[in-house]
Amino acid sequence: MMFLSVGIRFEANVEALNMVETAGNYTKHRRVPYLIEENGKLKTVYVPAISGESLAHAYQEHLVNEALSAGLPVCDDCRRGEFYKSMNKIHLEKKVSPIPDDPKEIEEAIVKACVVEDVGGFLYAEKPPVRRSSAFQVSYALPVKSVALFATSEPQLHARHAQIDASSKKGNVSEQMIYYVETGTALYGFIFNLDLDAVGISAITSKPILDDNEIKKRREVSLKALFRMLSSSQFGAKLSRFFPVGGITELIVTVTEHPFVVTSPIYDDYIERTKRRLNILKNFGEEIFITIAKEDRVAEEALKEAIDYLNEKGVF
Ligand SMILES: [Zn+2]
């Protein structure tokens, strides 16, 4: 019985991690309304944000890589980073044919065929519908509240130049394209949870679908994928030219026997509050684990400590 919750704070200067729309030559950053308190009054400001969907996509891409390098099964759609999951007959038939009538058998076939759909869930929207909720959860990344007013999303001007034929001397404007990319700058916080007990277990019967050894391997790759995603900063869009300048500034990891979620790192006292909340659980006799990366301690050190703890506990 193990539930992992991670709170991450990261600084990103000039990022384009989550773009929502392009109007002409202008690409907009995702923005959300944010309630903040100023001089005792509440007000709404619009701040740059990165959707949970975008972070989940990145996590699943890392999961594909980790699963494949461990020799575990990943279906063809997920291998390509196209996470339709087994949403309909066409996609499911690639895994199992003929398609069984029993939802339990459908779930079993999908889970066996693909680690990403085991850990990340799926929705088979046919008759009968089969739903498996994701073993991992991820929040939006939002600016830390106390400094949210300093978060910005500003358009940056860029120009794409085409080779001009010197002999024609035309040099008209179409050879230079002007475009704008809205970039965000903020100290962000987000939460990632992983229910290790859900991996390889049927969402319908709560019984194991896979053998113990396979379940342990899958838990291990699901942890490695998280480690890799955070330590490589490979999440979000436009990394090739707008790789965010900054990195993880703080991180907290808890492991509990039952679901427990760290206090959101958008609050300045999130570490203190998480500890206080955990202490109550401890009084109830629950075994708890907590580790923090802050100041001199880097994120990887805390993540590794958590993974070592889970290893000791026989989670994988
Ligand atoms: Zn898949």
Side-chain angles (χ1 to χ4, degrees):
M1 300 282 283
M2 287 289 169
F3 192 92
L4 178 94
S5 182
V6 188
I8 301 113
R9 268 189 174 192
F10 72 98
E11 184 181 326
N13 299 288
V14 197
E15 52 77 15
L17 293 170
N18 193 187
M19 311 310 280
V20 281
E21 58 173 338
T22 300
N25 62 349
Y26 195 102
T27 313
K28 278 184 89 174
H29 198 290
R30 180 181 297 281
R31 250 178 291 192
V32 294
Y34 220 34
L35 210 52
I36 57 153
E37 201 182 308
E38 201 182 35
N39 305 324
K41 281 183 187 154
L42 285 176
K43 67 180 227 180
T44 306
V45 291
Y46 280 81
V47 292
I50 300 152
S51 74
E53 198 66 63
S54 156
L55 295 169
H57 186 92
Y59 174 71
Q60 292 181 126
E61 282 184 334
H62 288 276
L63 191 55
V64 170
N65 295 337
E66 292 302 325
L68 290 176
S69 45
L72 296 172
V74 178
C75 78
D76 289 342
D77 286 337
C78 291
R79 271 175 204 235
R80 284 195 298 271
E82 292 166 359
F83 303 119
Y84 313 112
K85 312 291 186 65
S86 305
M87 63 182 189
N88 57 28
K89 281 184 179 159
I90 298 164
H91 289 281
L92 181 56
E93 262 166 0
K94 296 180 193 171
K95 296 185 186 75
V96 54
S97 186
I99 294 172
D101 295 325
D102 184 356
K104 288 195 287 279
E105 285 174 40
I106 294 174
E107 186 198 26
E108 188 179 319
I110 297 170
V111 167
K112 279 185 175 161
C114 186
V115 171
V116 176
E117 287 163 78
D118 176 6
V119 177
F122 60 81
L123 176 63
Y124 176 65
E126 298 271 4
K127 273 184 194 165
V130 185
R131 181 174 179 275
R132 179 174 174 82
S133 27
S134 175
F136 78 91
Q137 304 171 325
V138 59
S139 74
Y140 265 54
L142 297 174
V144 166
K145 281 234 155 165
S146 60
V147 290
L149 280 180
F150 302 112
T152 63
S153 43
E154 283 290 316
Q156 298 297 325
L157 170 69
H158 290 268
R160 213 171 263 145
H161 297 277
Q163 285 277 358
I164 297 170
D165 180 0
S167 63
S168 75
K169 296 224 167 63
K170 271 196 232 156
N172 65 39
V173 283
S174 67
E175 281 147 345
Q176 186 188 41
M177 198 190 108
I178 300 285
Y179 64 101
Y180 296 88
V181 176
E182 236 177 45
T183 58
T185 283
L187 178 61
Y188 288 105
F190 74 97
I191 286 177
F192 182 99
N193 301 322
L194 178 61
D195 183 2
L196 289 154
D197 297 327
V199 178
I201 306 294
S202 167
I204 301 167
T205 65
S206 302
K207 288 194 180 113
I209 290 173
L210 308 163
D211 68 52
D212 204 36
N213 190 37
E214 172 87 6
I215 289 176
K216 284 184 173 183
K217 279 190 201 161
R218 291 187 179 200
R219 286 176 182 157
E220 186 177 3
V221 296
S222 62
L223 289 163
K224 278 187 173 169
L226 174 63
F227 186 98
R228 197 76 74 186
M229 174 173 106
L230 296 176
S231 69
S232 66
S233 299
Q234 297 296 308
F235 55 83
K238 286 194 179 287
L239 296 180
S240 62
R241 295 296 179 271
F242 292 90
F243 191 81
V245 182
I248 296 176
T249 56
E250 287 178 20
L251 178 141
I252 183 169
V253 189
T254 64
V255 179
T256 47
E257 291 174 60
H258 300 284
F260 170 88
V261 176
V262 297
T263 301
S264 172
I266 67 166
Y267 303 109
D268 286 337
D269 58 354
Y270 74 104
I271 292 175
E272 214 36 60
R273 291 190 86 86
T274 302
K275 282 182 179 166
R276 279 169 57 193
R277 292 172 50 223
L278 271 183
N279 274 335
I280 306 290
L281 289 194
K282 210 168 157 185
N283 289 340
F284 288 160
E286 174 143 351
E287 193 173 336
I288 59 161
F289 170 88
I290 179 169
T291 180
I292 296 155
K294 210 184 162 180
E295 288 147 13
D296 286 345
R297 194 156 192 251
V298 295
E300 285 81 354
E301 287 163 346
L303 285 165
K304 185 174 181 301
E305 194 193 337
I307 290 173
D308 287 347
Y309 171 79
L310 289 164
N311 191 8
E312 259 169 50
K313 290 280 157 195
V315 168
F316 61 88

